[in-house]
Amino acid sequence: MKKYNFSAGPSILPKEVFAEAAKAVTDYNGSGLSLMEMSHRGPEFTEILTGARAKIKALMQLGDDYEVLFLQGGASSQFLMVPINILPSNGTAAYVDTGTWSTKAIKEAKLFGGVDVIASSAENGFNYVPKDWTVSDQHSYLHITTNNTIYGTEMHVTPLVDCPLVADMSSDIFSRPWDYDKYDLIYAGAQKNMGPAGTTLVVVKKDLLGKVDRDIPTMLDYNTHIKKESAFNTPPVFPIYVCYLTLQWIEKMGGPKAMAERNRLKAEAIYKAIDESALFEGFSAEEDRSFMNATFTIKDASREKAFVEFCSERGIVGIKGHRSVGGFRASIYNAMDQEGVDALVEAMKEFEKGS
Ligand SMILES: *Cc1c(COP(=O)(O)O)cnc(C)c1O
């Protein structure tokens, strides 16, 4: 049976990418060696790493004032690497709390300096993105989470602020053309929209660094990885390669602009089905609905399990909502095609009809 994978992460990647990656496991590029057994300092991997870093800058349209790093430790390690590198112990950073991930980022930042939670949607179960807030040029930086993977809300505009702007873009990076140059630091775990689990992308404006007075442990210092071009220690060779393949796929498909159009059509189809249904209900505020993770609930919660099973019989997997929200979550990252979304919409309609 054909499978449609709506998992939130690790998640779907383009079929071509899986096929190409599979070849590299046994014989990389006709070398007779698996990519996994090759030196991370050899010419093959050096070409991959250089190519991937360049592709990211090209897709983001960023210049030489930015550095691209592939690190480990997940987006979760960035929750602490950001403040340790750019929050002075006598400084204060501004955070917008839009869900589980930003709450975790806030907790870590407090270990290193002052934290101003300038807005939060916690009181409404994080079903919207707060818009009424101000930041001052006295803040060391503003941290936002552009897409809230668990709740299915997304920031549809980049805030214009007088302090450095930092964003966790784990689940919507490369989903749209974006004013990436308005950001001073962007990070993203690869496993949502860019590749397999195992590496984390960090894009940082160089002049942001080197301004805090504390001693930063070597591995946690962005400058360590900048100086060694992301190969200070052994980088996650295979995940980086699969990211590179995915980036090439994005480019071949028409780049972030084409992704945005594809993602908009998919999101519209799902939200339309939710809005037209008498059985299903959208979770997030309409204007903040995520184009990447559509969250919805069923009015009769006792039928939740039945719908998951109904979908599973049709090859639709990974739609169970995060345990903190319940209901359902359809993650429709770049690699998900319209056919998959249509299959889900059809299943929703049929289930409703039969109930
Ligand atoms: C998944 C996710 C994270 C955590 O990523 P890890 O790589 O598992 O640490 C952080 N932020 C957002 C927005 C996410 O979706």
Side-chain angles (χ1 to χ4, degrees):
M1 192 199 321
K2 186 159 182 192
K3 293 280 176 145
Y4 303 104
N5 182 13
F6 290 90
S7 297
S11 43
I12 185 173
L13 288 173
K15 273 193 218 63
E16 301 94 299
V17 167
F18 285 136
E20 200 63 26
K23 276 198 267 170
V25 172
T26 48
D27 181 2
Y28 177 69
N29 215 4
S31 63
L33 294 176
S34 166
L35 180 60
M36 287 190 227
E37 62 184 319
M38 289 181 166
S39 166
H40 61 289
R41 311 222 180 263
E44 293 86 357
F45 183 67
T46 302
E47 196 183 309
I48 291 166
L49 185 54
T50 311
R53 292 169 70 225
K55 192 68 72 200
I56 281 164
K57 270 201 193 172
L59 289 172
M60 290 185 163
Q61 299 185 301
L62 295 176
D64 288 338
D65 42 343
Y66 286 85
E67 284 286 344
V68 176
L69 305 172
F70 284 101
L71 304 180
Q72 294 178 78
S76 300
S77 293
Q78 294 311 309
F79 299 162
L80 81 98
M81 271 183 82
V82 167
I84 206 174
N85 278 274
I86 65 170
L87 176 56
S89 41
N90 61 355
T92 302
Y95 277 71
V96 180
D97 189 10
T98 50
T100 309
W101 300 118
S102 36
T103 307
K104 288 185 176 181
I106 290 164
K107 175 169 179 263
E108 297 304 298
K110 284 180 177 165
L111 299 171
F112 301 98
V115 172
D116 225 354
V117 180
I118 54 166
S120 167
S121 48
E123 86 288 356
N124 265 357
F126 295 117
N127 72 346
Y128 73 104
V129 176
K131 288 159 204 81
D132 242 2
W133 42 264
T134 46
V135 206
S136 89
D137 58 4
Q138 296 304 303
H139 284 119
S140 301
Y141 60 88
L142 166 67
H143 179 285
I144 58 172
T145 310
T146 49
N147 186 67
N148 301 288
T149 326
I150 292 174
Y151 302 92
T153 61
E154 190 169 14
M155 277 192 186
H156 294 295
V157 285
T158 294
L160 293 176
V161 289
D162 293 330
C163 66
L165 182 57
V166 176
D168 176 355
M169 292 194 190
S170 291
S171 49
D172 64 351
I173 192 141
F174 300 124
S175 67
R176 54 189 175 181
W178 203 232
D179 21 21
Y180 292 108
D181 62 347
K182 299 275 190 302
Y183 294 80
D184 298 84
L185 198 157
I186 294 165
Y187 62 89
Q191 71 276 14
K192 310 288 172 42
N193 206 24
M194 195 177 61
T199 189
T200 306
L201 172 69
V202 174
V203 177
V204 59
K205 206 168 183 180
K206 281 180 275 192
D207 65 8
L208 185 66
L209 304 175
K211 291 177 185 161
V212 291
D213 46 6
R214 68 174 61 87
D215 291 327
I216 305 174
T218 310
M219 274 296 284
L220 299 183
D221 189 340
Y222 290 127
N223 273 323
T224 300
H225 302 285
I226 290 174
K227 274 184 212 132
K228 297 292 179 182
E229 303 190 326
S230 254
F232 169 74
N233 67 320
T234 316
V237 171
F238 199 71
I240 292 174
Y241 176 61
V242 184
C243 286
Y244 188 29
L245 293 175
T246 309
L247 295 165
Q248 288 170 301
W249 175 85
I250 292 172
E251 188 177 53
K252 197 187 80 193
M253 295 290 287
K257 204 166 161 222
M259 290 298 125
E261 183 56 14
R262 176 184 165 93
N263 293 332
R264 186 181 62 78
L265 292 172
K266 288 181 290 177
E268 273 176 13
I270 290 199
Y271 289 120
K272 182 164 176 276
I274 292 170
D275 289 340
E276 285 176 359
S277 163
L279 184 65
F280 297 104
E281 234 172 358
F283 172 78
S284 45
E286 247 174 79
E287 75 273 16
D288 300 324
R289 282 173 164 177
S290 167
F291 282 29
M292 295 278 97
N293 314 92
T295 45
F296 55 104
T297 54
I298 189 161
K299 281 174 193 162
D300 176 4
S302 71
R303 309 211 51 219
E304 217 169 274
K305 210 167 146 236
F307 182 61
V308 171
E309 274 162 21
F310 188 83
C311 284
S312 158
E313 284 159 15
R314 284 157 183 75
I316 298 165
V317 299
I319 59 151
K320 201 171 171 327
H322 189 270
R323 58 193 179 280
S324 58
V325 178
F328 314 103
R329 168 175 53 176
S331 298
I332 45 174
Y333 299 121
N334 286 347
M336 172 58 69
D337 57 15
Q338 188 68 42
E339 185 194 323
V341 167
D342 292 345
L344 174 59
V345 166
E346 192 54 37
M348 289 167 73
K349 286 188 176 151
E350 272 180 44
F351 184 79
E352 185 166 350
K353 223 185 281 168
S355 62

